[in-house]
Amino acid sequence: MTAPDPARAGRALNGAAAAVLLLEGIAVLFIPRGIAQTGPGLTGFRLTVLLVLAVLLILAAGLQRRPAGLYVGTALQVPVVLTGFFASVPWLIGGIFALLWLYLLQLRKDLLGSILPKAPATRGDDVASEEPGR
């Protein structure tokens, strides 16, 4: 099943992906509080990793209008899940967000026919296709 208006569906899915990444970034900012109360605590390395990851997630949310944004968001799901090495609860949080991301990719495939974003047609491609005899 494909969407009746693929362009509109694509924009809506990009917005949903941006919202998920933004929420992930905010959720990652809550992890240091939980880590500080467990095990070896919150070290400088752990805090730096979590803050950099949160900033990358928020920046990736802004990239969702571009074709590369989907790839960046997908790649960032791995470190979000791997934050579970710092404490046990981030495994669950990262897993939930990763499943939500996979659901968005599946929804994109169902509505647009492909998970990957299609490259926009260039002016030269349009002219060549309109000319008769070519």
Side-chain angles (χ1 to χ4, degrees):
M1 175 181 94
T2 58
D5 185 4
R8 186 174 181 186
R11 286 191 305 270
L13 289 169
N14 289 343
V20 168
L21 289 170
L22 187 64
L23 287 173
E24 274 184 278
I26 293 170
V28 167
L29 290 174
F30 285 113
I31 294 174
R33 177 76 174 140
I35 292 174
Q37 300 171 356
T38 62
L42 184 63
T43 63
F45 172 74
R46 288 179 174 188
L47 181 62
T48 303
V49 167
L50 291 171
L51 290 177
V52 167
L53 181 58
V55 168
L56 288 175
L57 286 165
I58 292 168
L59 290 175
L63 285 176
Q64 291 308 301
R65 290 184 180 188
R66 305 184 190 285
L70 190 64
Y71 299 116
V72 172
T74 302
L76 285 174
Q77 298 308 308
V78 175
V80 169
V81 172
L82 292 179
T83 58
F85 283 120
F86 296 152
S88 59
V89 172
W91 286 115
L92 178 67
I93 304 279
I96 289 171
F97 277 115
L99 288 175
L100 185 58
W101 189 261
L102 288 173
Y103 174 72
L104 282 175
L105 291 178
Q106 181 63 39
L107 195 60
R108 183 178 188 86
K109 181 180 174 190
D110 290 344
L111 291 177
L112 301 180
S114 173
I115 293 175
L116 303 175
K118 294 183 175 139
T122 60
R123 175 108 173 107
D125 292 341
D126 293 340
V127 173
S129 65
E130 291 176 5
E131 291 181 24
R134 279 195 174 191

